[in-house]
């Protein structure tokens, strides 16, 4: 069976392979090799037989093909109601077809399926709320991603991302040393501004173990400093772990279930080693989904919960503001029209809608907050979820998809968009770059830093 | 002929219908796998039941969910179709008399003639609207295959033939036979075709309700998942 | 005095002034120079598309592109490189100020030189950031930061005097040591200058002249006690204090005295004040400004 040097059914296992993939500009060689990739139809059918259970089978069977799901999909709306963008059509013409043909599909079919799976669905699960039969097409696409990944039909960046987790236990090539080093370095920069600021590393039995997104370490280390400052201001007994500090999982986007397990196991081991009271993840949606919501199942934890109580950063912020651990200077509350982007991964799929609204009640001057329409669980995906942001070959699909969010934001008249999710933040940044609608966007941390009152004991020494 | 259809075939089709659907319903749940589905079905019974009930209930009545409100027209057509399709076969006087002859059971809720007529017509009209919708709307057209029309036909044929018999259009016994045959075909086909959504609708809704309630934030938001 | 100099620059005119000073400084001190260029933020995931900081265009940060950029820089600074003892060129990807700070942390540099950026090309990446690259680097850099935005008449051709702006903070002491060392090294004059800040008058807080006078004499006394004892090996040290808006007075004084270099402390206490003063001095001064942080 043909196997390319870069594009094969084998997952990335060495740093050299990763380097080779990273060097392949725009995946020229990778996608060229994909043209020759053979489909292991036996394996495909065998995998389906062992993993496809009554839920997905039933979904595919009882789909009334009524088309009600069409308007639930932002990509359908963004693409001028192109019928081929209907969730039902997308899944029936890919997964449905594979099953109908008992796995007997060819290279061209798989490549089309790949485009549909990563370029036409962000697994935002919005359609699940709109189907009378309770069919969750997002879940099925996630399943299909696994099948395609196994066959090697996966976009370059997803292959790399999953490989990163396998090698670095992080979505980017950042070692444990890099992480601690960067965290300490960046906190050092702020020591003068906040007395007593420090990063406790590997402290056992702390109240909080903080986990991050590797992108913060690589490109936005300020975010780490802000987290440290806010924990210190709130006088939390917190720590970071020198191993298992990465909360995200591009492996989940890639459908590399084995890597998902490798990654989340690493984090859970850190929890078990340090025994914190709680784990708090950074302002990232899919990281929460991967480590807190899906992770327990990859690890086979029957109660569906991580080893220690794990919450999203917004939950901690709401709690800190509610209990007065963090105090907002009322004069510094946001006084520009502001809206919030609800992240699919922890709002629709995590139930934290009310929590973010509570935060807004503390940090935004009454009268300045405008909801998007629709919002909460019904909000549309930012346009960049599920790995969509990062995939080069589907960039045009993605940019087209952003128009729905753009129009939603314009309609609110907001000048600032709160985006407590890395993917949403990135997508909104890109939509501003693409369409220039004159908005600002922000995580919560930098806004809070400007708003919170600093206790005397932490003010800079004079 | 009549004997065969109302005797042997009656028993066969009714058995297949009930046993078949029951088996499908049970198999749906035994086929679930908490690890593959990534839902801790059994760990949180309270939330599981709550989510399941809510997910079924809200979709069982018109306009309780966002979708039912948003798609006004199809909601009306769909409910008109389904309400009649479920109620008429069970509560029609003629059916009741027939079943008493067979089983000796007679239940007291009987539709009066007018209601039965209206409901039956609603089924037919609903089916027509749903068919037209499939032809006219691009988002339905691209999804619809011959099979979907066939299923719709299977569902509505007993009503059309039943109405023809009721109004004695032309040859009464032709329509009566057709009615019985189509009715039995429906019963036999139900467990094996998409008509199984008769029970699998509930199964699927129960699952997704539990899914969102147990795993995807139902325990964290004030009102659980807002359908 | 300096062994290695980091020149953080894109090969374009916005950085010319800073680059000239850096090369001149390298010349004077026989230092190695590292030209450091940041390509910009990568597009997401692992696509190698980056927004070029210089052009604002999307480019592929492939190996070829990087070596092309290096070649560009080599050609752009060809004349200067000729005279330099040794040099190298480094390219990084990311947020410019952050990558510059990272490079400072990882390398062994004695001073970093920065230029201004061309304002019209500010990309969307910067829009959400507060403050400029220069201010952010100056705030956090553990080594002296030299900035020059405007064309200078001398470009350090003749280093005749160094202007040290004192404010008596801890950071200011470090800045003084640095300035004194420079004066010794270049064998030139040292001007110690302090401004009694009268900017509160603009918010209608009238300050009595007596108060200003006492501030001025106190400043003189402090200079006398703190700094003068350490100026023995400097050919000529002059202390001067006046009242006014700090940045205006500093720029004026530097022009009057024909100062070759301005050394100023960065301190966090009056963060906002520093920001604006520092920025104003940088923008207005015709001499390179060196900011000292610790």
């Amino acid at each position: 069976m043909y196997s390319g040097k870069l594009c094969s059914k084998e997952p990335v296992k060495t740093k050299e392979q990763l380097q080779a993939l990273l060097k392949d500009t725009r995946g020229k060689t990778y996608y060229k090799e994909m043209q020759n990739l053979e489909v292991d139809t036996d394996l495909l059918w065998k995998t389906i037989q062992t993993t496809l259970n009554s839920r997905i089978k039933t979904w595919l069977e009882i789909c009334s093909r009524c088309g009600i799901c069409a308007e639930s999909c932002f990509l359908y709306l963004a693409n001028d109601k192109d019928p081929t963008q209907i969730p039902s059509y997308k899944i029936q013409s890919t997964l449905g077809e594979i099953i109908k043909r008992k796995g007997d599909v060819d290279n061209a079919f798989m490549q089309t399926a790949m485009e549909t799976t990563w370029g036409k669905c962000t697994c935002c699960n919005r359609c699940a709320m709109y189907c009378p039969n309770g069919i969750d097409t997002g879940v099925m696409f996630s399943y299909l991603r696994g099948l395609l990944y196994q066959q090697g039909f996966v976009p370059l960046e997803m292959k790399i991302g999953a490989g990163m987790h396998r090698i670095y236990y992080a979505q980017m090539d950042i070692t444990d040393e890099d992480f601690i080093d960067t965290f300490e370095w960046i906190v050092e920069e702020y020591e003068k501004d906040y007395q007593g600021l420090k990063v406790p590393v590997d402290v056992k039995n702390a109240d909080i173990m903080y986990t991050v997104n590797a992108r913060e370490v690589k490109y936005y280390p300020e975010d780490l400093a802000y987290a440290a400052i806010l924990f210190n201001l709130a006088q939390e007994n917190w720590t970071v772990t020198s191993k298992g500090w990465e909360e995200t999982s591009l492996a989940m986007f890639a459908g590399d279930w084995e890597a998902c397990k490798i990654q989340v196991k690493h984090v859970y081991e850190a929890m078990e080693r340090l025994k914190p009271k709680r784990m708090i993840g950074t302002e990232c949606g899919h990281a929460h989904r991967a480590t807190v919501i899906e992770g327990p199942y990859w690890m086979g934890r029957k109660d569906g919960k991580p080893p220690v109580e794990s919450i999203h950063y917004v939950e901690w912020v709401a709690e800190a503001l509610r209990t007065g651990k963090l105090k907002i200077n009322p004069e510094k509350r946001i006084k520009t029209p502001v809206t919030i982007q609800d992240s699919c991964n922890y709002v629709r799929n995590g139930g934290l809608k009310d929590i973010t609204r509570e935060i807004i009640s503390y940090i935004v001057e009454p009268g300045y907050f405008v909801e998007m329409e629709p919002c909460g669980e019904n909000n549309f995906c930012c346009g960049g979820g599920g790995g969509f942001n990062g995939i080069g070959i589907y960039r045009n699909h993605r940019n087209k998809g952003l128009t729905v969010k753009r129009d939603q934001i314009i309609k609110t008249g907001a000048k600032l968009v709160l985006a407590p999710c890395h993917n949403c933040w990135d997508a909104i940044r890109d939509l501003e770059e693409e369409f220039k609608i004159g908005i600002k966007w922000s995580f919560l941390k930098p806004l809070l830093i400007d708003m919170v009152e600093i206790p005397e004991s932490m003010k800079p020494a004079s | 002929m009549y004997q065969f259809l109302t005797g042997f075939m009656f028993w066969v089709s009714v058995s297949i219908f009930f046993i078949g659907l029951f088996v499908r319903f049970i198999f749906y749940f035994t086929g679930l796998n908490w690890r593959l589905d990534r839902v801790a079905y059994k760990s949180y019974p309270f939330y599981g039941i709550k989510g399941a009930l809510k997910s079924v209930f809200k979709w069982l009545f018109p306009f309780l969910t966002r979708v039912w409100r948003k798609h006004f027209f199809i909601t009306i057509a769909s409910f008109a179709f389904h309400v009649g399709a479920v109620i008429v076969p069970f509560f029609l006087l003629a059916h009741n008399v027939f079943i008493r002859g067979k089983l000796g059971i007679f239940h007291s809720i009987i539709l009066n003639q007018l209601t039965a007529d209206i409901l039956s017509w609603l089924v037919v009209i609903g089916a027509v609207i749903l068919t037209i919708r499939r032809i006219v709307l691009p988002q339905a057209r691209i999804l619809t295959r011959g099979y979907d029309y066939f299923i719709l036909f299977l569902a509505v044929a007993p009503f059309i033939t039943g109405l023809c018999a009721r109004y004695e259009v032309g040859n009464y016994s032709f329509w009566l036979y057709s009615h019985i045959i189509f009715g039995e075909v429906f019963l036999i086909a139900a467990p094996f075709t998409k008509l199984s959504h008769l029970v699998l609708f509930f199964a699927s809704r129960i699952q997704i309700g539990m899914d969102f309630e147990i795993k995807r934030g139902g325990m964290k938001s004030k009102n659980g998942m807002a359908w | 005095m300096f062994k290695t100099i980091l020149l953080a620059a894109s090969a374009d005119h916005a950085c010319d002034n800073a680059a000239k000073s850096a090369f001149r400084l390298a010349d004077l001190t026989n230092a190695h120079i590292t030209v450091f260029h940041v390509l910009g933020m990568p597009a997401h995931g692992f696509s190698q598309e980056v927004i070029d900081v210089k052009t604002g265009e999307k480019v592929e940060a492939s190996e070829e592109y990087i070596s092309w950029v290096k070649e560009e820089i080599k050609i752009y600074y060809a004349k200067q490189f000729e005279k330099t003892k040794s040099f190298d060129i480094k390219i990084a990807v990311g947020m410019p100020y952050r990558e510059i700070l990272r490079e400072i942390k990882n390398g062994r540099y004695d001073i970093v030189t920065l230029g201004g950026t061309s304002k019209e090309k500010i990309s969307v990446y910067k829009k959400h950031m507060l403050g400029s690259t220069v201010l952010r680097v100056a705030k956090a850099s553990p080594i002296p930061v030299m900035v020059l935005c405007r064309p200078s008449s001398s470009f350090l051709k003749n280093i005749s005097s160094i202007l040290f702006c004192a404010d008596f903070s801890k950071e200011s002491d470090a800045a003084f040591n640095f300035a004194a060392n420079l004066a010794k090294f270049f064998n030139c004059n040292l001007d110690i200058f302090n401004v009694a800040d009268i900017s509160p008058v603009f918010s209608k807080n009238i300050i009595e002249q007596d108060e200003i006078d006492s501030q001025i004499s106190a400043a003189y006394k402090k200079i006398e006690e703190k700094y003068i004892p350490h100026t023995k090996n400097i050919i000529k040290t002059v202390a001067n204090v006046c009242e006014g808006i700090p940045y205006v007075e500093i720029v004026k004084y530097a022009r009057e005295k024909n100062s070759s270099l301005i050394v100023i402390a960065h301190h966090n206490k009056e963060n906002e004040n520093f920001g604006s003063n520092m920025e104003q001095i940088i923008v207005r001064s015709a001499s390179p400004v060196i900011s000292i942080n610790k």
Side-chain angles (χ1 to χ4, degrees):
Chain A
M1 200 162 273
Y2 171 85
S3 186
K5 270 194 186 121
L6 298 178
C7 184
S8 70
K9 293 181 177 49
E10 285 300 304
V12 178
K13 281 184 180 142
T14 64
K15 281 185 189 171
E16 291 69 36
Q17 286 172 322
L18 260 185
Q19 277 312 316
L21 283 167
L22 282 168
K23 274 186 191 160
D24 184 23
T25 310
R26 281 178 197 268
K28 262 183 225 149
T29 318
Y30 180 83
Y31 291 116
K32 209 168 141 193
E33 286 179 3
M34 192 180 281
Q35 302 299 329
N36 300 319
L37 203 60
E38 280 172 66
V39 185
D40 186 342
T41 51
D42 292 336
L43 177 69
L44 183 57
W45 185 234
K46 225 175 109 191
T47 310
I48 289 173
Q49 281 177 313
T50 50
T51 57
L52 187 84
N53 65 347
S54 65
R55 177 169 75 155
I56 294 181
K57 246 187 241 165
T58 305
W59 279 343
L60 287 169
E61 186 188 341
I62 65 168
C63 170
S64 321
R65 295 168 174 264
C66 61
I68 286 183
C69 54
E71 283 171 30
S72 73
C73 180
F74 77 99
L75 282 163
Y76 170 80
L77 299 173
N79 288 284
D80 310 315
K81 307 199 170 184
D82 174 2
T84 63
Q85 287 279 4
I86 301 169
S88 169
Y89 180 85
K90 288 186 271 195
I91 198 68
Q92 293 285 358
S93 62
T94 51
L95 182 61
E97 198 62 23
I98 293 174
I99 292 167
K100 215 164 110 191
R101 297 196 209 165
K102 296 199 186 324
D104 188 17
V105 290
D106 59 10
N107 180 296
F109 180 93
M110 290 296 263
Q111 289 202 47
T112 317
M114 177 177 93
E115 186 186 349
T116 312
T117 307
W118 278 280
K120 294 181 177 179
C121 177
T122 63
C123 296
C124 75
N125 305 94
R126 190 170 188 265
C127 43
M129 298 189 58
Y130 289 74
C131 174
N133 281 325
I135 298 171
D136 192 335
T137 308
V139 165
M140 288 196 273
F141 267 115
S142 172
Y143 174 75
L144 180 57
R145 285 182 181 200
L147 296 179
L148 292 169
Y149 182 88
Q150 186 192 40
Q151 297 287 336
F153 291 90
V154 54
L156 173 71
E157 293 83 355
M158 296 291 103
K159 181 105 178 176
I160 297 174
M164 289 284 182
H165 285 289
R166 284 168 176 270
I167 291 161
Y168 292 96
Y169 299 108
Q171 63 158 282
M172 299 189 123
D173 45 356
I174 291 170
T175 62
D176 294 342
E177 290 73 34
D178 290 343
F179 168 66
I180 294 298
D181 197 38
T182 307
F183 214 143
E184 285 176 343
W185 163 53
I186 197 77
V187 162
E188 217 169 89
E189 276 186 13
Y190 285 84
E191 271 172 357
K192 277 198 280 179
D193 303 322
Y194 301 91
Q195 261 201 64
L197 187 66
K198 59 180 181 349
V199 202
V201 182
D202 284 336
V203 176
K204 285 194 177 165
N205 304 312
D207 291 339
I208 293 168
M209 178 179 114
Y210 182 58
T211 55
V212 307
N213 178 327
R215 295 189 70 80
E216 292 165 0
V217 187
K218 187 126 182 166
Y219 296 121
Y220 323 108
E222 250 73 12
D223 202 273
L224 303 175
Y226 295 158
I229 292 166
L230 290 169
F231 281 141
N232 277 281
L233 286 176
Q235 301 186 333
E236 292 281 15
N237 172 14
W238 69 292
T239 186
V240 290
T241 167
S242 58
K243 279 188 169 53
W245 45 268
E246 165 73 297
E247 197 194 14
T248 71
S249 181
L250 289 182
M252 176 172 76
F253 290 163
D256 184 349
W257 307 124
E258 199 188 333
C260 285
K261 193 176 164 182
I262 293 173
Q263 173 63 40
V264 83
K265 186 166 174 251
H266 204 58
V267 182
Y268 288 0
E269 277 168 2
M271 292 181 190
E272 272 150 9
R273 185 166 40 98
L274 297 183
K275 298 196 175 20
K277 287 207 183 76
R278 292 194 292 182
M279 188 278 275
I280 295 176
T282 186
E283 290 175 72
C284 183
H286 94 273
H288 183 75
R289 180 85 177 264
T291 305
V292 182
I293 299 178
E294 308 286 352
Y297 298 101
W298 294 327
M299 289 303 297
R301 299 181 63 87
K302 272 201 148 164
D303 62 352
K305 302 271 181 234
V308 301
E309 187 194 355
S310 300
I311 61 173
H312 191 270
Y313 198 75
V314 295
E315 291 178 83
W316 178 78
V317 172
E319 178 194 293
L321 292 171
R322 194 187 310 134
T323 56
K325 280 185 201 167
L326 288 177
K327 286 192 190 67
I328 298 290
N329 179 345
E331 280 171 22
K332 291 187 177 168
R333 286 200 288 207
I334 299 169
K335 289 188 194 65
T336 43
V338 57
T339 187
I340 188 164
Q341 163 59 17
D342 288 301
S343 158
C344 307
N345 280 325
Y346 67 82
V347 174
R348 179 161 34 257
N349 292 299
L352 300 183
K353 171 188 69 174
D354 307 319
I355 290 288
T356 47
R357 301 307 185 279
E358 188 188 345
I359 296 172
I360 284 161
S361 74
Y362 303 123
I363 66 169
V364 178
E365 191 75 11
Y368 286 94
F369 175 65
V370 200
E371 288 277 15
M372 285 187 199
E373 171 54 40
C375 64
E377 294 95 341
N378 290 300
N379 202 352
F380 287 112
C381 166
C382 58
F388 212 11
N389 270 339
I391 302 172
I393 46 167
Y394 304 138
R395 182 124 291 222
N396 291 335
H397 298 48
R398 204 282 313 254
N399 288 348
K400 187 98 209 220
L402 292 176
T403 54
V404 170
K405 189 52 62 188
R406 173 197 67 189
D407 297 345
Q408 259 188 306
I409 293 173
I410 291 176
K411 227 176 123 194
T412 64
K415 293 285 160 238
L416 172 67
V417 183
L418 302 178
C421 165
H422 269 268
N423 251 315
C424 300
W425 190 96
D426 281 343
I428 292 166
R429 179 189 72 180
D430 283 6
L431 88 80
E432 174 60 18
E433 185 179 79
E434 193 73 17
F435 306 109
K436 304 200 169 44
I437 59 171
I439 48 159
K440 288 187 174 173
W441 59 97
S442 179
F443 289 114
L444 288 172
K445 292 184 201 102
L447 297 172
L448 287 168
I449 290 283
D450 286 343
M451 273 185 248
V452 288
E453 286 178 350
I454 304 168
E456 264 333 294
S457 61
M458 272 189 80
K459 280 189 179 158
S462 48
Chain B
M1 180 70 175
Y2 184 78
Q3 279 305 317
F4 174 71
L5 284 178
T6 57
F8 178 71
M9 280 313 289
F10 168 78
W11 290 114
V12 168
S13 57
V14 166
S15 314
I16 290 178
F17 179 77
F18 282 106
I19 296 169
L21 287 181
F22 178 73
V23 166
R24 291 225 54 184
F25 192 69
I26 295 302
F27 273 21
Y28 177 84
F29 289 104
T30 54
L32 292 179
N33 180 318
W34 70 272
R35 244 188 124 159
L36 283 176
D37 301 342
R38 306 204 289 267
V39 183
Y41 294 115
K42 290 180 187 163
S43 301
Y44 306 92
F46 171 74
Y47 287 100
I49 292 167
K50 183 180 153 214
L53 287 179
K54 209 173 134 187
S55 160
V56 172
F57 179 79
K58 282 230 165 185
W59 289 85
L60 217 45
F61 298 94
F63 311 119
L64 286 189
T65 63
R66 204 180 152 86
V67 168
W68 288 151
R69 287 190 294 270
K70 210 173 158 210
H71 299 268
F72 185 81
F73 201 60
I74 187 179
T75 304
I76 299 278
S78 173
F79 274 92
F81 175 77
H82 282 98
V83 167
V86 172
I87 290 178
V88 174
F90 281 104
F91 301 110
L92 189 73
L93 180 65
H95 285 185
N96 246 305
V97 172
F98 176 77
I99 286 171
R100 185 171 55 168
K102 286 283 167 199
L103 300 168
I105 310 167
F106 191 88
H107 55 75
S108 49
I109 319 159
I110 301 289
L111 294 176
N112 65 36
Q113 192 64 52
L114 183 68
T115 320
D117 284 348
I118 293 173
L119 286 175
S120 304
W121 276 111
L122 281 178
V123 172
V124 177
I125 295 166
V128 170
I129 294 174
L130 292 178
T131 310
I132 293 173
R133 182 181 173 278
R134 281 192 188 275
I135 296 167
V136 175
L137 288 188
Q139 71 262 40
R141 191 169 58 228
I142 190 173
L143 291 166
T144 306
R145 302 151 307 167
Y147 179 63
D148 299 293
Y149 290 119
F150 173 65
I151 293 294
L152 204 55
F153 173 74
L154 275 188
V156 82
F159 287 87
I160 295 172
T161 50
L163 281 171
C164 286
R166 143 109 181 74
Y167 294 114
E168 297 180 30
V169 185
N171 186 342
Y172 171 77
S173 58
F174 168 76
W175 290 119
L176 184 67
Y177 278 117
S178 311
H179 176 67
I180 296 170
I181 292 170
F182 277 123
E184 288 172 351
V185 166
F186 175 91
L187 293 176
I188 294 168
F192 308 106
T193 59
K194 202 179 275 189
L195 292 170
S196 57
H197 77 275
L198 220 65
V199 292
L200 292 180
F201 161 82
F202 294 94
S204 174
R205 285 237 64 90
I206 288 171
Q207 191 281 329
I208 200 79
M210 293 174 84
D211 193 329
F212 273 104
E213 195 74 16
I214 291 172
K215 173 189 171 191
R216 296 194 245 171
M219 298 190 209
K220 282 204 169 163
S221 64
K222 273 184 209 151
N223 303 315
M225 181 46 68
W227 293 108
Chain C
M1 183 79 198
F2 305 122
K3 286 199 182 85
T4 48
I5 296 171
L6 180 66
L7 169 61
S10 49
D12 74 356
H13 297 299
C15 298
D16 278 358
N17 302 320
K20 273 188 192 167
S21 321
F23 280 108
R24 175 70 187 147
L25 201 61
D27 230 13
L28 286 171
T29 56
N30 203 22
H32 174 92
I33 199 159
T34 299
V35 180
F36 185 64
H37 178 66
V38 186
L39 286 177
M41 280 299 289
H44 306 115
F46 305 92
S47 38
Q48 290 160 312
E49 206 175 51
V50 299
I51 309 289
D52 191 285
V53 170
K54 200 171 117 192
T55 59
E57 281 166 13
K58 281 182 188 160
V59 290
E60 204 75 50
S62 59
E63 272 176 18
E64 298 100 86
Y65 178 74
I66 287 173
S67 56
W68 176 79
V69 171
K70 281 189 178 174
E71 206 49 44
E72 275 286 281
I73 292 173
K74 231 183 239 173
I75 293 165
Y76 196 87
Y77 295 125
K79 253 188 175 169
Q80 284 93 330
F81 282 143
E82 257 174 45
K83 288 189 218 153
T84 318
K85 185 187 85 174
S86 62
F87 71 92
D88 67 331
I89 300 166
K90 284 188 177 174
I91 310 285
V93 171
M95 204 71 94
Y97 82 92
R98 180 49 53 204
E99 295 313 311
I100 293 167
L101 285 171
R102 215 191 285 265
E103 183 60 25
I104 293 171
K105 178 179 77 117
N106 295 337
R108 282 194 200 148
Y109 301 101
D110 300 306
I111 188 167
V112 54
T113 315
L114 296 166
T117 37
S118 29
K119 286 255 153 91
E120 68 271 18
K121 279 175 193 159
I122 286 178
S123 76
V124 71
Y125 293 98
K126 280 193 173 169
K127 253 175 77 176
H128 76 285
M129 308 297 302
L130 309 159
S132 66
T133 304
V134 168
L135 286 180
R136 285 175 159 256
V137 172
K139 179 177 182 290
S141 168
I143 60 170
V145 180
M146 182 165 87
V147 190
L148 179 61
C149 292
R150 299 189 58 207
S152 149
S153 46
S154 65
F155 286 115
L156 305 176
K157 243 172 215 135
N158 283 310
I159 300 191
S160 54
S161 71
I162 286 165
L163 171 59
F164 162 60
C165 310
D167 64 19
F168 313 115
S169 63
K170 205 174 86 202
E171 292 82 3
S172 186
D173 295 348
F176 169 77
N177 287 339
F178 181 78
N181 283 339
L182 271 184
K184 276 176 220 162
F185 181 83
F186 291 119
N187 204 18
C188 67
N189 297 345
L190 178 66
D191 287 305
I192 302 176
F193 187 53
N194 175 264
V195 183
D197 192 355
I198 59 152
S199 39
V201 297
F202 294 107
S203 48
K204 302 216 169 107
N205 290 326
I206 301 300
I207 308 170
E208 297 285 335
Q209 191 58 38
D210 284 352
E211 198 187 323
I212 294 174
D213 286 346
S214 70
Q215 262 190 45
I216 291 176
S217 55
Y220 270 120
K221 214 178 144 197
K222 271 189 196 162
I223 292 174
E224 201 62 44
E225 283 168 6
K226 260 190 150 171
Y227 302 137
I228 299 298
H230 305 288
T231 56
K232 276 173 200 150
N233 298 326
I234 297 169
I235 39 173
K236 191 179 164 201
T237 307
V238 180
N240 221 320
V241 181
C242 74
E243 70 269 41
I245 311 297
Y247 72 83
V248 178
E249 295 306 320
I250 290 168
V251 172
K252 261 160 69 182
Y253 191 77
R255 190 167 50 218
E256 229 168 78
K257 292 277 172 172
N258 230 337
S259 304
S260 312
L261 269 169
I262 299 174
V263 177
I264 186 168
H266 172 292
H267 50 85
N268 281 45
K269 266 176 291 172
E270 301 149 70
N271 217 343
E272 283 155 40
N273 233 341
F274 161 76
S276 54
N277 265 320
M278 171 87 175
E279 194 164 26
Q280 291 303 324
I281 296 167
I282 290 166
V283 170
R284 288 158 202 275
S285 165
S287 320
V289 179
I290 298 181
S291 146
I292 307 278
N293 189 17
K294 36 180 109 158

